[in-house]
């Protein structure tokens, strides 16, 4: 990429997109653009095509998606499937038709089978059944990943894909019915501390193992791939390290300073028992994450406190 390339980041206000914008700007890219949902409805094919005709982006990062945790995925699977497939189809086809130099598509590690080998290598894709609690979102993301591969294979388009692990950090979603586990815990413990509550209830047993990556590390990895990678196979982005949900809860409890007890509601689902990415491919290319979990949780909590009035706290 050239420093003056016009780079369109779809989803530039979200957790992922905003971090990628920050990383691009830190690295000297001077023409990064974004559009709000009101300015550009990615579900509308004609709106997307009109945007590409007018703006003529050189590079596109597709970070826009309908996302959420277990509860959101369970209650609205049709919406997760349709909205994500529609966004992907519209943007990927426009990138091909209007001769974008490079596209980076962001997926999610939920694309991998529920019982995938651990750590999960890239070639575990499509080797077994998915976790049912996020199956609709996973299938949509798989379709986008494969579409990028097929456009590269048939037309030679420089479309690449990456699979970030569980992300957290500035501009995360703290709306409890739709958020992921880490920001939900930050909010729950923070509010319980303010209310002097004796307990905080958390879902599941606390036994699943999860990997967490600070979002600015993910963003730097994405820019690294844009600058250095043109392969057909997607690339995992993660830390290669894991903790139990119970260990995560204890870390966040300590960081927030909540002194009450944790009550585990084991009647609620745990989700996939273990999900750790094999990041050998990324490491061999020369990229390593910088922020460990303890530091990242502190950074995330500091941001939450400083931005609580503008943070996403209610359903949209």
């Amino acid at each position: 990429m050239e420093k003056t390339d016009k780079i369109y980041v779809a989803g530039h206000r979200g957790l992922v997109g905003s971090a990628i914008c920050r990383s691009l700007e830190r690295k000297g890219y001077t023409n990064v653009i974004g559009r709000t949902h009101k300015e550009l409805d990615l579900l509308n094919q004609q709106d997307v095509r009109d945007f590409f005709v007018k703006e003529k982006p050189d590079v596109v990062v597709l970070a826009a998606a309908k996302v959420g945790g277990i509860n959101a995925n369970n209650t609205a699977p049709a919406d997760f499937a349709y909205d994500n497939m529609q966004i992907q189809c519209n943007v990927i086809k426009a990138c091909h038709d209007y001769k974008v130099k490079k596209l980076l598509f962001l997926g999610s590690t939920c694309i991998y089978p529920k019982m995938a080998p651990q750590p999960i290598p890239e070639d575990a894709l499509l080797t077994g059944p998915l976790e049912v609690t996020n199956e609709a979102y996973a299938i949509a993301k798989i379709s986008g990943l494969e579409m990028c591969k097929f456009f590269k294979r048939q037309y030679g388009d420089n479309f690449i894909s990456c699979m970030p692990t569980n992300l957290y950090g500035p501009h995360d979603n703290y709306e409890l019915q739709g958020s992921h586990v880490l920001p939900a815990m930050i909010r729950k413990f923070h509010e319980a501390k303010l209310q002097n509550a004796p307990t905080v209830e958390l879902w599941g047993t606390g036994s699943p193992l999860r990997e967490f990556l600070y979002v600015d590390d993910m963003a730097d990895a994405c820019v690294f791939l844009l600058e250095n990678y043109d392969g057909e196979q997607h690339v995992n982005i993660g830390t290669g390290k894991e903790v139990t949900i119970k260990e995560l809860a204890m870390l966040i409890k300590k960081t927030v300073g909540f002194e009450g007890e944790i009550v585990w509601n084991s009647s609620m689902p745990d989700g996939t028992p273990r999900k750790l990415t094999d990041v050998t491919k990324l490491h061999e290319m020369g990229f390593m994450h910088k922020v460990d979990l303890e530091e990242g949780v502190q950074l995330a909590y500091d941001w939450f406190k400083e931005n609580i009035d503008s943070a996403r706290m209610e359903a949209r």
Side-chain angles (χ1 to χ4, degrees), residues 44-58:
N44 187 306
Q45 185 183 62
Q46 191 59 55
D47 284 359
V48 172
R49 298 182 75 82
D50 290 346
F51 167 79
F52 274 75
V53 168
K54 179 181 178 182
E55 294 295 337
K56 300 179 175 60
D58 300 300

Side-chain angles (χ1 to χ4, degrees), residues 67-124:
V67 298
I70 289 176
N71 183 64
N73 276 270
N74 268 337
T75 55
D79 295 343
F80 275 86
Y82 177 84
D83 287 3
N84 284 300
M85 288 184 186
Q86 189 77 353
I87 290 168
Q88 294 161 190
C89 286
N90 290 342
V91 174
I92 292 171
K93 186 62 160 59
C95 287
H96 168 74
D97 288 345
Y98 298 104
K99 312 300 182 187
V100 165
K101 291 198 302 187
K102 194 162 193 176
L103 164 68
L104 173 62
F105 174 81
L106 283 93
S108 164
T109 50
C110 72
I111 65 168
Y112 290 119
K114 178 175 182 175
M115 303 309 293
Q118 303 289 330
I120 309 171
E122 285 87 354
D123 60 10

